[in-house]
Amino acid sequence: MRIVVPAGGIGGARFLRGLRAVLGTGAGTPQEQSTGSITVIGNTGDDITLFGLRICPDLDTVMYTLGGGINEEQGWGRDGETFTVKEELAAYGMKPTWFGLGDRDTATHIVRAQMLAAGYPLSAVTEALCDRWKPGVRLLPMTDDQVETHVVVDDGDGRRAIHFQEWWIRHRAALPAERIVSVGAEEASPAPGVLKAIDEADAVILPPSNPVVSVGSVLGVPGIREAMAAKTVVGVSPIIGGAPVRGMADACLRAVGVETSAGAVAGYLGADLLDGWLVDEADAGTEVEGIEVRSRPLYMSGPEATEAIARAAVDLAVELAAGKGERG
Ligand code: FO1
């Protein structure tokens, strides 16, 4: 079964570990035992240039998590990390100091910066980095063009736009966001292979990533949403019982005027896109017009739980695809 997954950072990456187990595409699984393939369309809206380096948080989080190099409790950055480069930059008075630039992680950013400077597109850079990490999925950036998520805030110094990372890391998304803007999205094109992978997919699964700045950013690249809407799409709610499982998706939802609930997020993603929506038992009874809602435990409390959630998503997609077939 060929599955396409538009993904963001931590929640998406963890879900992908479970989906990889369901399809038997995990690292070390002999090819013949694999029952399918996974193409991840990674969000690049979080990307930021700092100290001459191009940093791609969501691509790196997926790559490290599936490649076995992630800092597990943090959910981002490398395991066994040190911060000597960060300290030395601060000693030179370099700004910003709020970004947690790790030494091991910096090697990834140097490889990326060097390849980009040599003229390679981000998709080629990502493929080269994955040659080392072997994530067991095909990881494509949503676009090779520059798209960045910026947040319009007004904190008494007057209204201004700041980079998503500054809002997220420095301000912990506590500055009320008047608007979230995907700068450059209108002019961007899907990266090579993205539309083909969607077209050839048996299903699209939306992981419990941030619906606004992660899944939303991927859907905002012209052509991607339409291509996905033509497929059977099943999503996993990132909101349980009115709160995000982790991260600050509620701050993002507030910025776009959407209630922090499993049902409201499904409505925000749209019934034109979503065929099925998994919600936690806490949200059983959620109904969304035009979307088949099913409830089950959604806490990714460990590998078994995560695999069971991924399997439920795949099973619902198979069920709905068959139904679609009947309806023609
Ligand atoms: N998140 C933080 O909360 N603090 C950090 O200092 C930080 C540094 C960082 C460095 C590299 C990287 O790939 C991710 C990093 N993140 C950090 C996480 C990142 O801001 C978010 O995971 C995504 O951008 C949101 O999906």
Side-chain angles (χ1 to χ4, degrees), residues 38-41 130 135-140 192-194 196-197:
I38 302 169
T39 299
V40 179
I41 302 176
C130 285
V137 302
R138 189 172 175 222
L139 177 57
L140 302 174
V194 165
K196 187 169 183 289

Side-chain angles (χ1 to χ4, degrees), residues 59-142:
L59 295 178
D60 293 347
T61 293
V62 170
M63 185 173 72
Y64 293 155
T65 300
L66 298 182
I70 195 74
N71 175 320
E72 193 60 45
E73 55 280 352
Q74 236 173 216
W76 55 265
R78 284 297 315 281
D79 55 349
E81 189 57 282
T82 52
F83 296 90
T84 306
V85 169
K86 180 177 187 296
E87 288 154 17
E88 290 299 302
L89 287 166
Y92 279 114
M94 292 289 279
K95 298 281 186 238
T97 54
W98 45 261
F99 191 81
L101 180 70
D103 297 324
R104 291 172 182 263
D105 199 27
T106 298
T108 301
H109 311 321
I110 290 172
V111 171
R112 184 178 292 119
Q114 178 165 306
M115 288 186 71
L116 290 173
Y120 290 95
L122 182 58
S123 44
V125 176
T126 305
E127 192 173 352
L129 294 171
C130 285
D131 279 350
R132 170 190 175 187
W133 290 102
K134 304 196 183 337
V137 302
R138 189 172 175 222
L139 177 57
L140 302 174
M142 66 190 195

Side-chain angles (χ1 to χ4, degrees), residues 2-223:
R2 293 158 300 185
I3 308 250
V4 162
V5 180
I10 302 164
R14 288 192 172 151
F15 175 82
L16 281 162
R17 261 194 310 220
L19 184 63
R20 201 179 53 176
V22 169
L23 295 186
T25 63
T29 307
Q31 187 59 31
E32 62 277 3
Q33 282 177 18
S34 166
T35 61
S37 69
I38 302 169
T39 299
V40 179
I41 302 176
N43 169 42
T44 60
D46 290 6
D47 297 3
I48 185 169
T49 297
L50 290 174
F51 317 117
L53 303 173
R54 189 68 179 161
I55 295 162
C56 302
D58 282 354
L59 295 178
D60 293 347
T61 293
V62 170
M63 185 173 72
Y64 293 155
T65 300
L66 298 182
I70 195 74
N71 175 320
E72 193 60 45
E73 55 280 352
Q74 236 173 216
W76 55 265
R78 284 297 315 281
D79 55 349
E81 189 57 282
T82 52
F83 296 90
T84 306
V85 169
K86 180 177 187 296
E87 288 154 17
E88 290 299 302
L89 287 166
Y92 279 114
M94 292 289 279
K95 298 281 186 238
T97 54
W98 45 261
F99 191 81
L101 180 70
D103 297 324
R104 291 172 182 263
D105 199 27
T106 298
T108 301
H109 311 321
I110 290 172
V111 171
R112 184 178 292 119
Q114 178 165 306
M115 288 186 71
L116 290 173
Y120 290 95
L122 182 58
S123 44
V125 176
T126 305
E127 192 173 352
L129 294 171
C130 285
D131 279 350
R132 170 190 175 187
W133 290 102
K134 304 196 183 337
V137 302
R138 189 172 175 222
L139 177 57
L140 302 174
M142 66 190 195
T143 177
D144 280 338
D145 301 315
Q146 181 152 328
V147 174
E148 280 190 3
T149 303
H150 287 219
V151 181
V152 177
V153 297
D154 186 347
D155 60 351
D157 291 349
R159 179 183 295 177
R160 68 194 197 287
I162 60 178
H163 191 286
F164 170 78
Q165 292 299 335
E166 180 172 3
W167 183 63
W168 190 259
I169 296 174
R170 186 180 189 189
H171 299 291
R172 305 308 306 157
L175 277 187
E178 293 191 6
R179 276 179 60 212
I180 293 181
V181 186
S182 199
V183 179
E186 296 77 26
E187 299 78 35
S189 306
V194 165
L195 294 182
K196 187 169 183 289
I198 297 169
D199 185 48
E200 292 173 353
D202 297 300
V204 174
I205 293 182
L206 308 188
S209 282
N210 187 309
V212 181
V213 294
S214 295
V215 173
S217 292
V218 177
L219 295 173
V221 175

Side-chain angles (χ1 to χ4, degrees), residues 235 237 262-263 277-281 283-286 293-298:
S237 177
W277 186 241
L278 291 186
V279 301
D280 187 80
E281 290 165 327
D283 300 303
T286 298
V293 180
R294 301 281 171 84
S295 66
R296 68 165 331 277
L298 280 194

